[in-house]
Amino acid sequence: MLASVGVVDNPALESAFAAVARERFIGPPPWHMSRGGGYAVLTSSDPTVVYQDVLIALAPERGVNNGSPSLHAHWLNALRPRPGERVVHIGAGTGYYTAILAELVGPSGQVLAVEYDAALAERAAGNLADQPSVTVVKGDGAEWPCEPVDCIYVNFAAARPAEAWLDRLAPGGRLIFPLGVPAPVDARGRRGRHSFRGAGYLVEPHGERFSVAWLGMASFVCAEGALAGTPAEQAALWAAFGGGDAEFVRTLRRGAEKSSARVWLQGNGWSLSYDAATKER
């Protein structure tokens, strides 16, 4: 599975996936697999079936799933958590990828799992009770972390990065989050056939700027509250993705002023542009 997404030089990640039993985190069978905008029941109760590269429902009524292993392998390979590092997993669900992060940072590292949904947070706390390096909190992901950390791994789509994510990245830190927005609602109160636009980005601090690397298009359940964006912010992000070139974004800057004529998206107090975050040498 790792080789299929281009991960060929990360034995630590391979070992972490091998060490964590997915079936522990998705609840008892029958399991429901996300398919074509709905869910299909997996007729087998053999745990081997959940090691396919599929999304398994955690809260199907809200479209919350245990996400694609291949996507997370690709993103965790880009995040590169190292032994001893401090990691915050935001939108942790029931804790499967939290457990993999704990394997990657080892017993000398620390992982904080933040989950807004009370029922999912309770399940995560139970699933991770045997992990002394992991702490689970029920909370708003926009408010965490509260202190500097090395890695922030976000697993819901936001219309903008939270201030806390940018403020509390330690030097050399890495943030991965899905930037995404649902389709506008039409006059009948319905969304279009293609109801989501989004992509994953790796963000790293460089002084006053942040470098950005595109990780590919991705679809996640959308944030609620402030990180969902205002109607104007959602419309601007929808238009930016519709115009293309999301893969060429290179810099995130903070501030109200337009930072460059090469801006891909001008947000409220922040922007994404094609300019390099650091000067070429």
Side-chain angles (χ1 to χ4, degrees):
M1 183 268 289
L2 298 187
S4 70
V5 291
V7 181
V8 294
D9 62 344
N10 195 335
L13 184 58
E14 183 176 354
S15 296
F17 268 91
V20 180
R22 193 182 192 191
E23 63 271 20
R24 283 187 53 202
F25 296 86
I26 58 176
W31 298 300
H32 294 76
M33 176 180 65
S34 177
R35 175 182 289 172
Y39 291 93
V41 177
L42 289 171
T43 56
S44 174
S45 60
D46 184 339
T48 59
V49 302
V50 302
Y51 290 90
Q52 303 174 71
D53 187 27
V54 295
L55 284 70
I56 305 293
L58 297 177
E61 71 281 359
R62 296 194 294 112
V64 177
N65 305 308
N66 178 256
S68 161
S70 65
L71 180 145
H72 285 278
H74 173 47
W75 285 17
L76 290 170
N77 184 62
L79 189 67
R80 294 276 175 171
R82 294 185 283 266
E85 288 194 320
R86 300 154 297 172
V87 179
V88 176
H89 184 198
I90 298 177
T94 59
Y96 175 57
Y97 292 107
T98 308
I100 291 175
L101 285 163
E103 289 288 331
L104 291 167
V105 300
S108 63
Q110 299 175 13
V111 181
L112 175 67
V114 182
E115 174 53 51
Y116 183 77
D117 183 275
L120 294 178
E122 184 177 4
R123 288 174 63 184
N127 292 335
L128 297 163
D130 61 345
Q131 298 277 351
S133 63
V134 177
T135 302
V136 180
V137 299
K138 190 273 179 190
D140 184 343
E143 299 175 356
W144 296 83
C146 297
E147 58 187 14
V149 296
D150 302 296
C151 298
I152 302 173
Y153 192 54
V154 182
N155 286 168
F156 58 78
R160 60 168 299 149
E163 295 292 331
W165 305 347
L166 302 177
D167 286 341
R168 298 186 179 104
L169 266 186
R174 289 87 68 204
L175 159 68
I176 284 181
F177 81 104
L179 181 70
V181 63
V185 175
D186 64 21
R188 297 183 179 182
R190 299 181 300 186
R191 299 192 189 276
R193 180 181 177 185
H194 301 289
S195 59
F196 180 86
R197 289 175 177 170
Y201 288 100
L202 169 67
V203 178
E204 300 177 80
H206 295 277
E208 296 300 313
R209 300 184 182 187
F210 297 81
S211 66
V212 175
W214 185 72
L215 298 176
M217 306 307 290
S219 178
F220 277 78
V221 65
C222 290
E224 300 176 8
L227 293 184
T230 65
E233 288 174 323
Q234 289 189 4
L237 183 54
W238 182 264
F241 275 117
D245 294 338
E247 65 269 33
F248 300 116
V249 169
R250 293 291 178 267
T251 298
L252 185 155
R253 293 190 64 179
R254 306 169 83 174
E257 295 183 5
K258 191 171 183 179
S259 58
S260 165
R262 289 164 46 80
V263 166
W264 179 75
L265 174 70
Q266 182 66 51
N268 182 17
W270 69 290
S271 63
L272 292 170
S273 77
Y274 307 117
D275 298 321
T278 57
K279 293 182 179 180
E280 298 293 336
R281 292 185 177 181

